Amino acid sequence: IVTGGGSGHLPVFTGYVGEGMLDACAIGSVFASPSVDQIASAIRNGNNGNGVLCIIGNYGGDVMNFEMACEIVAEEGIKTKKLIVADDIASASLAERVKRRGIAGMIYIFKIAGSLAENGKSIDEVFELASLANENIRTLGVALSPCILPEAGKPTFEILEDEIEIGMGIHGEPGIKREKLRQADPLVDDLCERLLADIKLQSEDKVSIMINSLGSTPLEELYIISKRVIENLSKLKIKITRSHVGRYATSMEMAGMSITVLKLNDDLQKNLLSNSKC
């Protein structure tokens, strides 16, 4: 299992290399795709003769460079499959899901695919269940402050101290709307309503949730968010199998957070919880 992308999103990507997770990753400069050569090298290092699944966030440079790298290693006899993560509901409509950005939801893909591979499943079997997970992940985030790129030395976007942007991308891409800062509970209610409308959960469905800091938002505030998300889902009798709260996919020192929901079936749940390192 191999992935890659720009730096600045710690612990993505290096933090997920290890037993039962990723085998290798390629890292570019801050918010920039790794080169084709770097990706090809990561694929070679991750290859054990049974093929390599490349898990890619849906960003133009990453997708293009992975495609070229896969063509290069194919000539060396290495079989690859590409899975493009697209979980950010703010970046495209449900009808155009393939255009959505890949953000914190990719962590779930790393875990499920890594568990399958660790247990000896074929690349086709890993790809099939990882693809099912990808279809059942939704993420929506908010930003309160920008980050500063080291090379540029200036914020990636501007936002007032009393404002918040719903759906802001992890590189500063425009979100759904900008509004005055609200208290946590009504804000989370809004985000949950948007997420549930997109994923269409029903009573007794099983999910895992991830409350992720975009960088500078502290753990204490994330638990306030988590409590309200759990209350919203519990009212609908949706069963939360596992909740994750912390810094899983950041954007330098950006203030903000994202909520990710993964709808589970038995196979997804088994591999998500298997020897869990996430």
Side-chain angles (χ1 to χ4, degrees):
I1 312 298
V2 171
T3 190
S7 299
H9 301 300
L10 291 173
V12 181
F13 297 88
T14 55
Y16 299 104
V17 175
E19 182 180 351
M21 296 282 278
L22 300 172
D23 293 291
C25 64
I27 303 297
S29 298
V30 176
F31 295 178
S33 173
S35 69
V36 174
D37 287 343
Q38 286 176 306
I39 296 169
S41 177
I43 293 172
R44 294 185 190 104
N45 280 286
N47 178 48
N48 65 359
N50 297 315
V52 173
L53 174 62
C54 297
I55 300 172
I56 314 162
N58 198 11
Y59 300 94
D62 293 339
V63 173
M64 179 179 67
N65 287 355
F66 262 95
E67 287 178 345
M68 289 191 287
C70 288
E71 291 175 2
I72 290 171
V73 298
E75 296 177 358
E76 302 168 12
I78 300 175
K79 178 183 178 180
T80 61
K81 279 184 171 290
K82 298 181 291 293
L83 177 61
I84 299 175
V85 181
D87 59 309
D88 182 6
I89 70 169
S91 52
S93 68
L94 184 59
E96 295 184 302
R97 273 201 64 227
V98 294
K99 295 182 180 180
R100 289 178 172 176
R101 299 183 290 254
I103 45 178
M106 70 172 57
I107 313 305
Y108 279 129
I109 308 291
F110 296 163
K111 179 64 187 71
I112 290 167
S115 172
L116 289 163
E118 192 73 25
N119 287 303
K121 299 297 184 181
S122 70
I123 186 173
D124 293 325
E125 291 173 305
V126 176
F127 177 79
E128 182 178 358
L129 195 61
S131 296
L132 178 62
N134 192 32
E135 293 169 5
N136 285 281
I137 296 174
R138 303 291 190 276
T139 301
L140 182 60
V142 296
L144 291 87
S145 76
C147 61
I148 296 175
L149 295 182
E151 292 182 358
K154 59 182 180 180
T156 51
F157 60 90
E158 294 182 358
I159 187 169
L160 299 178
E161 290 185 0
D162 64 343
E163 290 183 330
I164 188 168
E165 183 148 355
I166 296 176
M168 172 72 73
I170 58 175
H171 307 108
E173 299 95 336
I176 297 171
K177 66 174 182 176
R178 185 171 294 194
E179 61 182 32
K180 292 297 182 181
L181 189 61
R182 289 187 276 169
Q183 291 186 332
D185 283 359
L187 174 63
V188 173
D189 292 347
D190 184 2
L191 299 181
C192 284
E193 183 179 346
R194 294 173 186 272
L195 286 164
L196 293 171
D198 201 281
I199 198 170
K200 296 179 174 61
L201 294 174
Q202 299 178 352
S203 173
E204 305 303 319
D205 279 345
K206 295 180 294 184
V207 301
S208 177
I209 61 172
M210 180 187 296
I211 314 302
N212 171 61
S213 170
L214 293 180
S216 68
T217 301
L219 197 59
E220 294 87 347
E221 293 182 13
L222 297 180
Y223 277 113
I224 293 172
I225 302 300
S226 175
K227 176 179 179 292
R228 190 62 173 182
V229 172
I230 291 170
E231 288 173 354
N232 274 279
L233 295 180
S234 296
K235 287 177 184 177
L236 299 173
K237 297 183 179 180
I238 295 166
K239 298 180 179 179
I240 302 172
T241 298
R242 178 68 63 85
S243 62
H244 307 268
V245 181
R247 290 182 176 90
Y248 293 98
T250 65
S251 183
M252 304 285 286
E253 76 277 20
M254 185 186 292
M257 62 85 191
S258 63
I259 300 170
T260 300
V261 178
L262 166 61
K263 182 180 179 181
L264 298 167
N265 65 9
D266 290 343
D267 285 341
L268 291 174
Q269 178 173 304
K270 174 185 174 183
N271 286 282
L272 179 63
L273 302 181
S274 173
N275 298 319
S276 183
K277 300 180 185 298
C278 180

